[in-house]
Amino acid sequence: MSSFDKIKPNGQGEIRNFEYVELLEVAVAVGCSNNCVRYCPQEVLLKAWKNREKIMSLETFKRLLSSVPKSVYLDFAGLTEPFDNPAFLDMAEYASKNGFRYGVKTSLSTATVEGVKRLASLHPTCVFLHLPDGLNFVAPQTEQYHEALIAGLKYLRNTQLSLMNDLFETNNRETTARSQVKTSSGAGWCYRRENPQMVVFPDGTVTICCIDMGLKHVVGNLLTESYSVLRGRFVSKKSYALCASCSYNVAAWRFHLRKIMQKPRLFLGHQLPLWKDTV
């Protein structure tokens, strides 16, 4: 049983804590139409990517999934806006029909009402809807966007809202990717060491996680190697240079204590709603 299967779904499959889920981020494109550059250093990724293929094809997506276990949660995020790829909804439908659980991170900035309705009909496990905040993500002032956003709020189930406002808590990806971190987090542990959350790009390139926007730690290519090989390669290495400046890298004792505390939290999270329904 994988770590994913140990977590009981809530409602129609919402995951309560993604730290304990093994997932594969799917970057269906390189480059993003959104403008969240303060927290998302797209320039670092584009510089590292150079002249390679920037749009993932549906056929490539199908080949990528050929060795990925169904227990691995697919996350259409990968540092881009999924709707920037015209084949994104076809990919989501293929994943759904082939037994994968998946989520989507989107602002709907390039979506249409028809696209939103189709996504809703495919029943994604979770949708992180990135809303405009007036500063770090300025939404397009178009009728298409306004209609798509209203449709998203109306039709998409299991939606979590995200805003980069003054209450937003950054994971410091922007400073880590831009090599602006002043102090080292030292020797520690990251939850992704137990539950890998690698990113696959349009040409099959796989990197250790979404923090590695400079592609400094590529573990292989999913078009030429199996998922199990890449996963094993990632977890077998004890440390990565990128981890020394990442906020997810914490003292080992703190990591394991949090892991222990998570079990009663998950239990209570499922029991309390039942209690509320009966009083």
Side-chain angles (χ1 to χ4, degrees):
M1 178 181 292
S2 71
S3 57
F4 183 92
D5 295 319
K6 295 177 184 177
I7 298 185
K8 297 180 180 180
N10 175 34
Q12 294 188 5
E14 178 186 351
I15 305 301
R16 291 182 178 274
N17 194 328
F18 281 92
E19 290 187 12
Y20 300 91
V21 177
E22 179 169 343
L23 62 80
L24 178 65
E25 283 199 24
V26 183
V28 298
V30 171
C32 183
S33 59
N34 298 325
N35 50 6
C36 319
V37 293
R38 177 179 178 183
Y39 293 113
C40 188
Q42 286 289 318
E43 80 283 358
V44 176
L45 175 58
L46 291 173
K47 181 179 179 181
W49 195 253
K50 297 181 180 178
N51 298 319
R52 288 183 276 177
E53 179 60 48
K54 292 184 177 180
I55 299 293
M56 182 182 293
S57 69
L58 178 59
E59 290 307 311
T60 294
F61 177 74
K62 293 178 179 180
R63 288 176 58 195
L64 292 173
L65 291 193
S66 62
S67 67
V68 179
K70 299 296 191 299
S71 58
V72 176
Y73 180 90
L74 302 181
D75 191 19
F76 286 101
L79 315 172
T80 192
E81 167 56 54
F83 279 97
D84 285 354
N85 187 325
F88 157 59
L89 291 173
D90 293 330
M91 296 176 187
E93 182 174 6
Y94 180 84
S96 179
K97 287 184 176 180
N98 283 273
F100 286 94
R101 287 173 284 190
Y102 71 95
V104 181
K105 291 185 175 71
T106 177
S107 68
L108 301 179
S109 59
T110 51
T112 62
V113 172
E114 292 74 19
V116 171
K117 289 182 177 180
R118 184 181 175 193
L119 178 61
S121 72
L122 297 174
H123 306 295
T125 300
C126 182
V127 177
F128 282 87
L129 182 55
H130 186 180
L131 299 178
D133 58 84
L135 178 63
N136 298 307
F137 170 47
V138 181
Q141 298 300 308
T142 64
E143 184 176 353
Q144 175 180 306
Y145 168 72
H146 295 156
E147 291 178 348
L149 180 58
I150 294 299
L153 295 171
K154 182 177 181 180
Y155 297 111
L156 293 175
R157 297 290 302 274
N158 298 333
T159 300
Q160 296 187 26
L161 305 181
S162 173
L163 292 92
M164 291 179 173
N165 57 18
D166 294 339
L167 302 178
F168 178 72
E169 294 185 14
T170 177
N171 59 14
N172 295 324
R173 179 174 62 189
E174 67 280 7
T175 54
T176 302
R178 289 172 173 143
S179 301
Q180 296 174 343
V181 177
K182 302 300 182 181
T183 59
S184 172
S185 55
W189 196 260
C190 175
Y191 63 83
R192 291 168 175 170
R193 305 295 292 156
E194 294 189 359
N195 302 296
Q197 298 187 356
M198 300 183 291
V199 183
V200 60
F201 290 92
D203 68 348
T205 295
V206 175
T207 189
I208 58 173
C209 70
C210 66
I211 303 297
D212 188 15
M213 294 188 71
L215 306 180
K216 296 180 179 180
H217 300 297
V218 173
V219 295
N221 192 296
L222 195 51
L223 291 177
T224 58
E225 300 174 282
S226 70
Y227 178 85
S228 62
V229 168
L230 299 185
R231 184 190 191 283
R233 188 176 296 155
F234 166 66
V235 299
S236 64
K237 189 172 180 178
K238 301 303 180 183
S239 63
Y240 292 88
L242 187 73
C243 300
S245 58
C246 179
S247 62
Y248 288 143
N249 187 51
V250 299
W253 69 267
R254 187 184 300 275
F255 169 84
H256 291 295
L257 178 61
R258 182 173 179 177
K259 184 178 178 181
I260 293 172
M261 294 298 293
Q262 179 65 13
K263 293 182 179 179
R265 287 175 182 170
L266 284 174
F267 174 78
L268 291 174
H270 289 290
Q271 297 304 314
L272 289 178
L274 297 177
W275 177 79
K276 291 178 181 178
D277 290 340
T278 59
V279 295

